[in-house]
Amino acid sequence: MKRALLLPLLLASTAAWAGPRDTVSLDGAWEVRIDPADAEAAKTHPREASWFAAKVPGSVQQDLIASGRAPDPFKGINQAPIQWAGLTNWQFRKVIEVTPEMLKRDHIDLVFDGLDTFATVSLNGQKLLTTANAHRRWRIDAKSALKLGRNELVIAIASPIRTLQPMVLAQANTLPGEYDSEFGDEPKGKQTSPYIRKPKYHYSWDWGPRLVNIGIWRPARIETWDNARIDNMRVDQEALNDAEARLVARYRIVAGASTKLTLRTTLTGPDGKKQTVSRSVTVAPGINEVSVPLTIASPRRWWPVGYGAQTMYDVSGQLSDRDGKADSVSHKTGLRTVELIRKDGSFGFKVNGIPIFAKGANLIPFDMFPSRVPRAQMQQVLQSARDTNMNMIRVWGGGYYLDDAFYEIADELGLMIWQDFMFGGSVTPPDAEFRDNVRVEAEEQVERLQPHPSVIAWSGGNEILAGWENWSDRKAFKKRVGADEQERIGVGMAVLFDRVLRDAVITRAPGTPYWNNSPATDYEAPTDTDKDGDRHFWDVWSGSKPVERYLDSCPRFMSEYGFQSMPGLSTIRDFAGDGPFTLESPVLKAHQRFLSGEGNARLQLYLDQRLRPAKDFADTVYLTQVNQMQAIDMAARHHRACRPVTLGSLYWQLNDTWPAISWASISYDGQWKLLQYAAKRFFAPQAIVTEHKDGATRVALVSDAATPIAAEWRIRAFDMSGKPLGERGDKVSLTPLGAQEAASIADADLFAGAAPEASYAVAELLIGGRQVSRTIVERALPKDMAYPAPGLSTRWDGKRVTITAGALARAVMLDFGTVAAHPSDDGFDLLPGESITIEVRSDASAEALQSALTLRTLGTK
């Protein structure tokens, strides 16, 4: 049989004696095939038993799709045909050409930033490394296995399911996991995912498909060095005040032999001024810890967006031996203090001494295939968050630790990052070997992210402890296994979350808060209640309760709550085709992962509860987005009005990991749903909150500013013809960093006896005579309101459109159908006679936009 073309890599020559660390990328073209030892898979898929093109970083699933050997699972109903890839053992291969100069180096290391997951690395037939954690970096000295000329690097990666399944099936009581497979590769309730350190969402979630990726998923390289190299540098902040910042640059230096080195540390301020500290050290073979103190006079702090500048400092280190430069490292960092507010059940964050109400959303992985996420995609999502007045993003624990670029962007934008460790809901194994594997992972990841001032807190993971305490399947499991095994598993989790992960943060990121899980109380009280700690509230949506349940209480910190909607029609057409569609269409149910597709019935349930009947499918898309927007608007404003009891509101979820019907406010293709536009309004720095209940309208005012602001509020009632019915208002000084009750107004004093369905009120907050916040008060459900025909008209000027309302127009949506477009505002209300001018960003022409536009409102005409 003809041998497949090998991919040579010529390693650049280096100096004959000691020289600087040199790096050669192994990214790019590789080859992949079914592992010959997997005879059954090779027989079933003979074409893939021969080498074919692969790309690193990546996954075999991506290679199969790129070569046309498997359909794109993001399109149509194509999830099933690719499932075999995650059940197969694979080999990846690359050929390296080594020069004589290369072999003169003292050390030649193979470094892999991510191997997913059970990998065996062999060089010229010699096994060098076995791995069992996709979240870790792996390094191995490869010099003894290298030879002059051609060298063959082979990485065999076993199916995670097949590797673990014999052990799992042999257990009488398998650890409770996350989501059962719908493809028959794992029996119900017999999941392998709890036992592996791999992104949990690969096994499917209620917003994403099952794609059990296998591959070299992060960059790979060869590093050559001689006397010593810098393994890590972190910058600890020992003290920070207005007069002085005292820092310590802590290096971990790996030496091949005892030698004398010079370490130069340079700190560069935002004004470009530098200070350099040199230190001579004699290192021993192995790991050496070296500390270098630094002092900054009159330091400038890094602030969350809205509270100050995002000032950064550069800290670089250069290691030299007698022959010159050996290695170097550089980090950008920011100076700030963070305190987790925990008093009498409170939960929140104080940054640089300022208690900051957290406004934002939860972030899930950007893609099912992480290696294909460009910086621009992360920039777009995070910029969208900042542009809509968010200041915090929670990186959810069922995915993976994100690339450095993500945190660099967050630093620049002033977005606070709540970082979960990567635990996503399943009960964790109680054995010490598992915890030691996690310990290395945690220490490595905390060290990597430690320089970023945006990472203001670490949490042990998502819903593991709350599930163990409260979920019915966990309670049944504990009853089945008995008291002794229950205690063994519970103690194992306590050691993992209270010691291993906590110690990683305390020792590697001192000054950064940690708590044991989300939701949690850090072992101080029962979890997931309004009284203490953070809360995940799912009575609305998952529990099918009315959206008004959001108003029933004031949690300490709402770290998860959400409501679904459909993406825009252009997104749907891209993954589903031309249709026609209904909510029960198989392709739409395939891209709805809640209750394995039955979530579309939940969409309809809430449409029936709250909104008018849809006119057609495009109108259904619109109405689901209105429902989502109004539900989260109601909740977020309520949370803000609960301050200081409530100190944060993070809705679920910001983004999508594939084209889906989900809780996201930004679709997979970057299109904003109406909720994302609404976030700019309900997360505004100063906002008015209205809640109608028991025949009265509550008016509250909130301000994120650290100083009082002179303002004016007013509420005006009208009938549907525009006739004024009543008005109230007052001048106020907005409470700094807080919320205040402005009024409670009886219906009789505002609506002059008008019928609820035939009247409405407009509440506004004005600062300096300019409106900064507005909301509409309705006394009946939207479906019962007698909205008039809005009489909308448009006037175009290029890609600018001015929309004017003849009468009240509720929840106006600019619907461009299958044309992808991004209006500057959407989902807004227009009062009678009011106009708004919208900029539309789109690759389509102005003429195409004008032709495609349909204006939708909650009115029936």
Side-chain angles (χ1 to χ4, degrees), residues 723-740:
K723 176 185 174 182
L725 299 175
E727 181 174 352
R728 294 289 186 277
D730 202 357
K731 293 182 178 180
V732 295
S733 176
L734 296 180
T735 301
L737 303 170
Q740 62 203 89

Side-chain angles (χ1 to χ4, degrees), residues 88-116:
T88 302
N89 301 333
W90 297 90
Q91 287 182 336
F92 294 80
R93 179 176 72 172
K94 193 175 186 75
V95 167
I96 305 166
E97 294 287 342
V98 175
T99 66
E101 291 79 8
M102 180 72 179
L103 292 176
K104 292 178 182 178
R105 301 304 298 266
D106 290 347
H107 302 273
I108 307 174
D109 293 347
L110 283 171
V111 184
F112 303 97
D113 287 342
L115 296 173
D116 193 0

Side-chain angles (χ1 to χ4, degrees), residues 770-783:
R770 182 178 66 88
Q771 180 197 105
V772 298
S773 181
R774 183 169 81 178
T775 186
I776 301 292
V777 179
E778 294 173 333
R779 294 179 290 156
L781 288 171
K783 69 177 182 179

Side-chain angles (χ1 to χ4, degrees), residues 26 142 271 555:
L26 295 177
D271 56 1

Side-chain angles (χ1 to χ4, degrees), residues 599-808:
N600 285 351
R602 191 66 50 88
L603 284 173
Q604 188 63 56
L605 180 146
Y606 277 108
L607 289 178
D608 293 342
Q609 279 187 9
R610 300 193 72 252
L611 301 181
R612 61 167 172 77
K615 303 170 186 176
D616 51 29
F617 179 74
D619 200 41
T620 299
V621 171
Y622 160 72
L623 291 172
T624 67
Q625 290 201 19
V626 171
N627 235 1
Q628 179 191 44
M629 172 184 71
Q630 292 186 343
I632 303 303
D633 183 294
M634 179 187 300
R637 289 182 192 263
H638 177 73
H639 298 154
R640 296 187 71 190
C642 284
R643 188 172 181 170
V645 173
T646 304
L647 292 176
S649 181
L650 308 180
Y651 68 75
W652 186 272
Q653 67 209 52
L654 182 61
N655 61 317
D656 267 329
T657 197
W658 77 314
I661 301 166
S662 78
W663 296 268
S665 56
I666 302 175
S667 299
Y668 174 74
D669 56 5
Q671 293 290 308
W672 287 17
K673 298 183 185 178
L674 296 186
L675 171 58
Q676 189 67 32
Y677 290 96
K680 188 172 186 177
R681 298 187 280 271
F682 60 69
F683 281 150
Q686 287 74 44
I688 191 166
V689 180
T690 56
E691 296 172 0
H692 186 269
K693 187 177 181 181
D694 299 330
T697 300
R698 173 200 181 198
V699 180
L701 310 174
V702 297
S703 176
D704 295 332
T707 57
I709 296 177
E712 179 183 358
W713 69 270
R714 68 185 181 196
I715 183 168
R716 296 173 293 157
F718 303 91
D719 67 14
M720 289 301 174
S721 70
K723 176 185 174 182
L725 299 175
E727 181 174 352
R728 294 289 186 277
D730 202 357
K731 293 182 178 180
V732 295
S733 176
L734 296 180
T735 301
L737 303 170
Q740 62 203 89
E741 297 293 319
S744 178
I745 308 169
D747 287 352
D749 295 331
L750 187 61
F751 291 97
E757 69 276 7
S759 57
Y760 65 96
V762 182
E764 298 166 297
L765 179 64
L766 300 97
I767 297 176
R770 182 178 66 88
Q771 180 197 105
V772 298
S773 181
R774 183 169 81 178
T775 186
I776 301 292
V777 179
E778 294 173 333
R779 294 179 290 156
L781 288 171
K783 69 177 182 179
D784 297 324
M785 294 295 292
Y787 296 124
L792 295 175
S793 62
T794 59
R795 186 178 70 256
W796 285 87
D797 178 11
K799 293 186 179 182
R800 292 162 50 97
V801 58
T802 299
I803 303 169
T804 302
L808 174 67

Side-chain angles (χ1 to χ4, degrees), residues 290-509:
V290 180
S291 298
V292 177
L294 301 164
T295 302
I296 303 173
S298 302
R300 293 168 58 184
R301 299 176 188 239
W302 179 93
W303 286 93
V305 60
Y307 292 89
Q310 288 73 56
T311 304
M312 301 291 287
Y313 289 79
D314 288 305
V315 182
S316 61
Q318 181 173 305
L319 188 67
S320 302
D321 55 23
R322 63 183 180 181
D323 296 305
K325 181 180 176 181
D327 204 359
S328 62
V329 65
S330 181
H331 290 315
K332 285 183 176 291
T333 193
L335 308 179
R336 50 94 178 111
T337 61
V338 183
E339 177 187 342
L340 179 62
I341 302 170
R342 294 289 288 134
K343 182 181 180 182
D344 300 327
S346 295
F347 189 102
F349 299 95
K350 188 180 290 187
V351 181
N352 296 327
I354 302 294
I356 296 176
F357 189 98
K359 305 180 297 183
N362 290 262
L363 184 101
I364 63 173
F366 289 95
D367 200 299
M368 291 303 299
F369 303 120
S371 62
R372 70 182 188 184
V373 177
R375 184 186 182 104
Q377 183 179 355
M378 294 185 280
Q379 179 81 47
Q380 189 263 345
V381 171
L382 290 183
Q383 186 68 55
S384 295
R386 174 170 165 149
D387 288 347
T388 50
N389 292 312
M390 297 185 191
N391 59 25
M392 177 177 279
I393 301 296
R394 176 188 173 220
V395 178
W396 168 80
Y400 59 93
Y401 303 96
L402 297 167
D403 294 345
D404 292 339
F406 172 84
Y407 303 95
E408 293 167 3
I409 297 166
D411 291 342
E412 295 165 2
L413 295 179
L415 291 172
M416 298 180 287
I417 301 299
W418 159 336
Q419 178 69 50
D420 277 3
F421 283 101
M422 291 300 115
F423 291 90
S426 62
V427 175
T428 55
D431 56 282
E433 182 181 3
F434 179 86
R435 291 196 297 272
D436 192 59
N437 191 2
V438 172
R439 177 189 60 79
V440 179
E441 164 198 324
E443 291 174 353
E444 177 184 301
Q445 294 295 346
V446 174
E447 282 185 345
R448 180 174 70 91
L449 302 186
Q450 183 268 345
H452 296 284
S454 57
V455 181
I456 67 154
W458 284 85
S459 166
N462 177 73
E463 296 183 350
I464 301 97
L465 300 182
W468 182 249
E469 184 177 324
N470 300 320
W471 295 357
S472 59
D473 66 326
R474 271 58 167 168
K475 291 180 179 179
F477 172 82
K478 289 186 283 189
K479 184 177 180 180
R480 285 197 308 272
V481 300
D484 290 346
E485 182 66 3
Q486 176 182 335
E487 182 178 9
R488 188 174 80 94
I489 294 171
V491 169
M493 287 193 290
V495 173
L496 176 62
F497 294 112
D498 196 37
R499 296 183 188 176
V500 174
L501 299 182
R502 191 185 303 276
D503 286 351
V505 177
I506 290 173
T507 58
R508 266 69 182 177

